[in-house]
Amino acid sequence: MAKVYNFSAGPAVLPHEVLAQAQSEMLDWHGSGMSVMEMSHRGKEFMEIIHDAEHDLRELLQVPAGYKVLFLQGGASMQFSMVPLNLLGDKQSVDIVNTGHWSKLAVKEARRYCNVNVVASSEDRNFAYVPAEETWQRDPNAAYLHYTSNETIGGLQFPFVPTEQGVPLVCDMSSDFLSREVDVGKFGLIYAGAQKNIGPSGLVVLLVREALLGRARADLPTMLNYQVHADADSMYNTPATYPIYIAGLVFKWLKQQGGVKGMASRNAEKAGLLYHTIQASEGFYSSHIDEPFRSRMNVVFRLRDESLEESFLLEARKNGLIQLKGHRVVGGMRASIYNAMPIEGVKVLASFMQDFARQHG
Ligand SMILES: *Cc1c(COP(=O)(O)O)cnc(C)c1O
């Protein structure tokens, strides 16, 4: 088998141990004689799988009482519509912080249903920073305040959690979910598409404060209604059974790795190694993000000489380092180093970057 380190932004690398376990259980899950893909979602086997996944997730994040865990479909993008459609209630507007590509899409979609007050934006400096919370122009009557804790494409991460101030906090945590400790009690709703830090695509995980349920518009399609899914424990219709199974294995793996706390310290070490390499290259590589806001999940960087990009990617591939090309809207390089990326992979990348700079600098 080819040994590669996969720095894809998503769908992204999964823990090797998880894939190996899924492989060993592929044809026969725990003596059931069935693959997880072939099971009834209402059978006792799958009920055990989804129950364990929820239990482990609650434990990992110490989810307080009064929160529902939902396993839905439609990706994180579906939440750009579902959040306003479910949480607006009789309010007229929502607050959104604009820190990049994904925030912008949240704004665009919410505008279809209500007024959107962009409380702060860092577009003036190409999303290189998170505007200081004191400067936000918040509306005390907003239905909620939405922000993106990690901008996967730009490589920008919030180093703080905004305060609720009586307006429920909603967070798109797709690309840094379970990568660091969070106090779930501070949030009205957290959502995360699975294919970054949880498991295969086709699944989105939500933690929602029960008090926020029941505000959906009456004409809302049933499948878009949080209350429907909450009442049915994510079993109103057939959920994404296989992605939920893999997510459950990832949650168990996380527990073995010291939980979210253990992950957070490893993620800090991994990101530190890459940003240090960039810093030490004396301008050969650069990060356009202000230091306090550099993402620990998606390390975005440029080469001083853009004409070297192609050979950087080619040489990297020869060294088993793949999917390092940046997103087309920002260009340059992007190393996504989610939970499942081992420190060894980051070390190999850092030393490759040093060698490449020495040869071409
Ligand atoms: C990937 C991503 C999305 C979109 O996820 P889909 O599952 O493709 O809809 C939204 N927000 C963030 C922060 C992301 O990283």
Side-chain angles (χ1 to χ4, degrees), residues 74-78 80 102 148 150-152 172 174-175 193 195-196:
S77 301
M78 180 68 99
F80 298 155
W102 294 113
T148 310
N150 185 68
E151 286 282 358
T152 322
D172 176 356
S174 293
S175 51
Q195 70 273 23
K196 280 52 182 259

Side-chain angles (χ1 to χ4, degrees), residues 19-288:
L19 294 178
Q21 185 176 346
Q23 181 187 40
S24 76
E25 297 175 344
M26 171 65 85
L27 300 183
D28 178 9
W29 185 82
H30 295 199
S32 65
M34 293 179 282
S35 166
V36 173
M37 276 179 270
E38 304 170 300
M39 290 173 181
S40 162
H41 57 296
R42 303 191 194 278
K44 71 173 186 344
E45 293 89 355
F46 188 75
M47 291 305 280
E48 186 184 322
I49 288 169
I50 194 170
H51 175 270
D52 279 4
E54 176 170 343
H55 174 87
D56 289 335
L57 177 60
R58 284 185 182 274
E59 194 178 310
L60 282 166
L61 287 174
Q62 294 170 36
V63 178
Y67 281 78
K68 284 280 185 190
V69 174
L70 302 180
F71 296 104
L72 306 183
Q73 300 184 52
S77 301
M78 180 68 99
Q79 296 310 310
F80 298 155
S81 316
M82 282 176 81
V83 168
L85 286 168
N86 280 275
L87 302 189
L88 203 52
D90 51 12
K91 303 274 185 162
Q92 307 296 321
S93 82
V94 302
D95 280 359
I96 303 187
V97 189
N98 179 20
T99 49
H101 179 86
W102 294 113
S103 317
K104 274 182 162 177
L105 285 182
V107 168
K108 184 174 169 222
E109 208 58 31
R111 283 215 166 110
R112 295 159 59 88
Y113 309 109
C114 58
N115 298 320
V116 173
N117 171 36
V118 176
V119 301
S121 169
S122 51
E123 195 157 16
D124 59 333
R125 282 185 44 229
N126 205 12
F127 302 116
Y129 67 105
V130 174
E133 199 181 355
E134 310 85 73
T135 66
W136 297 4
Q137 304 287 315
R138 294 179 65 161
D139 171 6
N141 287 313
Y144 57 84
L145 178 127
H146 180 286
Y147 77 106
T148 310
S149 55
N150 185 68
E151 286 282 358
T152 322
I153 291 174
L156 177 87
Q157 191 173 29
F158 272 68
F160 62 91
V161 172
T163 51
E164 243 188 344
Q165 299 179 13
V167 172
L169 205 53
V170 173
C171 184
D172 176 356
M173 232 178 253
S174 293
S175 51
D176 64 357
F177 194 60
L178 294 167
S179 74
R180 57 179 176 182
E181 291 172 289
V182 290
D183 180 352
V184 174
K186 289 185 171 167
F187 295 84
L189 189 157
I190 292 170
Y191 63 93
Q195 70 273 23
K196 280 52 182 259
N197 233 347
I198 305 175
S201 59
L203 170 69
V204 57
V205 176
L206 281 81
L207 306 174
V208 57
R209 195 182 278 155
E210 282 167 23
L212 294 178
L213 296 172
R215 300 181 183 185
R217 315 165 27 144
D219 63 349
L220 198 60
T222 307
M223 278 297 292
L224 299 187
N225 193 327
Y226 290 150
Q227 180 84 66
V228 169
H229 294 292
D231 288 347
D233 291 326
S234 307
M235 290 278 189
Y236 171 76
N237 72 325
T238 317
T241 53
Y242 202 78
I244 291 169
Y245 157 68
I246 299 286
L249 295 183
V250 170
F251 299 155
K252 287 206 192 305
W253 177 83
L254 282 171
K255 283 168 67 175
Q256 288 161 7
Q257 306 295 311
V260 176
K261 197 171 181 177
M263 271 300 137
S265 77
R266 265 199 258 175
N267 288 333
E269 191 186 343
K270 280 152 49 183
L273 207 57
L274 292 185
Y275 288 118
H276 175 77
T277 304
I278 291 165
Q279 207 88 27
S281 75
E282 289 169 354
F284 186 86
Y285 303 109
S286 64
S287 158
H288 71 291

